[in-house]
Amino acid sequence: MLTHAAPGQPLTSAWLAEQGVSPQLAYHYVQAGWLIRLGHGWFLRASSDKPELLLSLAALSGTFHIGGKTALAWHGYHHNLAHRAATELFAQGPFRLPEWMQSQFPLTVRKRRLFDDGAQGVAPWRYMASLRVAEPERAVLEMLWGVPQHQTLEEATHLVEILFGLRATLMQPLLESCRNIKAVRLFLNLAKQASHPIMEDLDMTRITGSAAPYVRRHATATIRT
């Protein structure tokens, strides 16, 4: 069991059971100093310094993916990325982080169904197939959904500006199925401002809300983007 667990890999009770370790035996291993108890149903090899983020996320159950600004950063698109910025997880259904994981890592869970197809534009991460990550085309819409509550318009504008290389074959169906009109309008207007080549390949007649601008209202003025 100890040789099958990678350094920093949190071990669940279910995983231990697959290795032939019963709850009683796991308790014995904790008492013997071979395992560290992280929380209810979660353990760590005593030889590991601390849990590792990606291995911890991969051990979670439930339907979720890495999305938004985090996914953009993982794909190489970031602008003034904050030190140890919170990792954004997008959940399609009931999903809860273990308390130990919330205290160990800066994590944010977004429980929003932003698209008709919850799996569209989400793929296994190339460095760890057990993790699912939003493609840039989906991640940018997830990021824009958070403007201005979770994401400043200024940084969102800078991020869209560097997103050259977006694929119209994926962007088109995502824009059509996106349930958040604000995110759609923001993307189209910001991409147009940045003169993105993808704008020439999109069929605007099939995208809801494409004709209207995004409006920000402040105490002193109304700004259209």
Side-chain angles (χ1 to χ4, degrees):
M1 181 273 294
L2 293 176
T3 59
H4 289 171
Q9 175 188 348
L11 313 175
T12 64
S13 296
W15 187 90
L16 290 173
E18 292 175 359
Q19 311 302 313
V21 179
S22 66
Q24 294 77 13
L25 191 53
Y27 175 80
H28 169 71
Y29 287 164
V30 171
Q31 297 301 308
W34 297 338
L35 288 178
I36 298 171
R37 188 175 185 275
L38 296 172
H40 180 68
W42 289 87
F43 303 87
L44 183 71
R45 282 172 47 179
S47 58
S48 299
D49 291 335
K50 58 182 180 179
E52 197 274 332
L53 174 60
L54 297 188
L55 291 173
S56 299
L57 294 175
L60 286 171
S61 60
T63 303
F64 76 96
H65 67 271
I66 311 300
K69 191 162 62 174
T70 300
L72 290 177
W74 284 22
H75 287 295
Y77 302 105
H78 51 81
H79 175 80
N80 294 336
L81 195 63
H83 176 67
R84 207 168 183 239
T87 300
E88 287 187 283
L89 312 180
F90 282 75
Q92 303 299 317
F95 180 75
R96 184 178 180 182
L97 287 172
E99 291 184 8
W100 73 265
M101 200 176 291
Q102 297 180 60
S103 62
Q104 186 75 34
F105 307 109
L107 301 170
T108 299
V109 178
R110 312 289 191 198
K111 294 183 179 181
R112 293 290 185 277
R113 189 171 181 84
L114 299 178
F115 301 88
D116 294 331
D117 183 350
Q120 191 175 40
V122 177
W125 182 230
R126 57 180 176 269
Y127 300 116
M128 186 176 291
S130 55
L131 277 180
R132 300 171 70 250
V133 181
E135 298 284 7
E137 291 80 2
R138 177 177 179 130
V140 66
L141 293 174
E142 293 173 337
M143 182 267 294
L144 292 172
W145 158 80
V147 175
Q149 293 87 352
H150 312 297
Q151 170 67 51
T152 66
L153 178 58
E154 288 70 23
E155 185 181 16
T157 301
H158 290 304
L159 283 168
V160 173
E161 287 174 350
I162 63 175
L163 281 174
F164 283 91
L166 294 177
R167 297 159 291 181
T169 52
L170 181 54
M171 198 79 240
Q172 178 77 41
L174 283 170
L175 287 168
E176 291 179 27
S177 67
C178 184
R179 298 180 175 186
N180 188 262
I181 300 300
K182 176 188 67 175
V184 172
R185 292 175 180 174
L186 260 177
F187 172 77
L188 294 175
N189 283 279
L190 293 178
K192 182 179 179 180
Q193 285 181 203
S195 300
H196 277 309
I198 194 175
M199 296 300 294
E200 299 177 3
D201 299 322
L202 296 176
D203 183 354
M204 298 299 175
T205 63
R206 295 164 51 190
I207 302 173
T208 303
S210 60
Y214 170 64
V215 179
R216 286 187 298 162
R217 289 185 174 84
H218 293 275
T220 56
T222 299
I223 303 174
R224 292 176 176 266
T225 300

